[in-house]
Amino acid sequence: MAPIRRFGVLVKGRDKRPTTMTDDNSVETVMARQKEINRLRLTLQEFGLDYDVLIKESPQNWAVLEAVKEAAFRLSEQIQLLSTVLISDVSQFESWLAQRVDLPLPYVRRHGHYLVAISLIVAHDLRHLLPYILPVKRRNTYGCN
């Protein structure tokens, strides 16, 4: 199988999940996307998270992925909650976080860092990365098909 690209990193295997990636691969867009990836890397490092968490903790099951992405949007809308989670370790707040973002506790335990990373993309308004992480039910809201 040919490798695929996810968040700018080549990943082995075949991704069967629906995608929201844009077809605009102009030089300006690619450069802007790379700039946002670098900004995301720095932001994650500030909070002790590794960029590879996006790959390692990305849910493989499409339904779980959608649930986690939707919860990440809810988390990004609650700045105080996101700040609390970022200042400390996600594992300290798992059950509390699960209730606040309406996500089953096992999902938070397994994909907590991914949840936070996706929330940071939304909270920091990284527009070129947003199409990659939009939940299906939010695509029309953000102008993606």
Side-chain angles (χ1 to χ4, degrees):
M1 283 183 224
I4 58 167
R5 242 181 223 288
R6 188 179 301 155
F7 290 102
V9 178
L10 286 176
V11 180
K12 287 181 97 177
R14 189 162 172 233
D15 195 354
K16 296 180 182 177
R17 296 179 291 199
T19 182
T20 58
M21 292 184 227
T22 62
D23 290 333
D24 183 9
N25 287 320
S26 66
V27 173
E28 295 84 15
T29 303
V30 171
M31 290 180 70
R33 191 178 305 132
Q34 188 60 49
K35 213 173 182 182
E36 287 185 358
I37 288 171
N38 292 336
R39 183 175 165 201
L40 177 62
R41 281 180 194 265
L42 292 173
T43 303
L44 291 173
Q45 285 176 355
E46 285 179 38
F47 299 108
L49 295 173
D50 187 18
Y51 180 76
D52 291 340
V53 75
L54 296 173
I55 295 166
K56 291 176 191 168
E57 290 192 19
S58 173
Q60 296 304 307
N61 179 288
W62 186 80
V64 174
L65 177 68
E66 286 298 303
V68 172
K69 289 191 303 187
E70 185 59 40
F73 272 78
R74 286 192 294 272
L75 178 59
S76 71
E77 293 165 354
Q78 302 176 45
I79 299 300
Q80 186 64 36
L81 176 60
L82 180 57
S83 298
T84 302
V85 171
L86 288 171
I87 291 170
S88 56
D89 186 19
V90 176
S91 60
Q92 295 177 356
F93 296 100
E94 286 175 343
S95 59
W96 181 69
L97 180 60
Q99 291 174 350
R100 296 292 297 264
V101 296
D102 192 29
L103 188 67
L105 184 57
Y107 294 178
V108 173
R109 285 190 176 134
R110 181 171 284 173
H111 310 293
H113 293 112
Y114 180 81
L115 171 72
V116 170
I118 297 303
S119 297
L120 287 170
I121 291 172
V122 178
H124 286 220
D125 196 27
L126 301 177
R127 294 198 177 270
H128 290 92
L129 298 180
L130 196 60
Y132 293 88
I133 54 103
L134 276 173
V136 171
K137 64 183 179 180
R138 290 187 184 249
R139 288 183 187 168
N140 290 335
T141 306
Y142 289 88
C144 296
N145 296 329

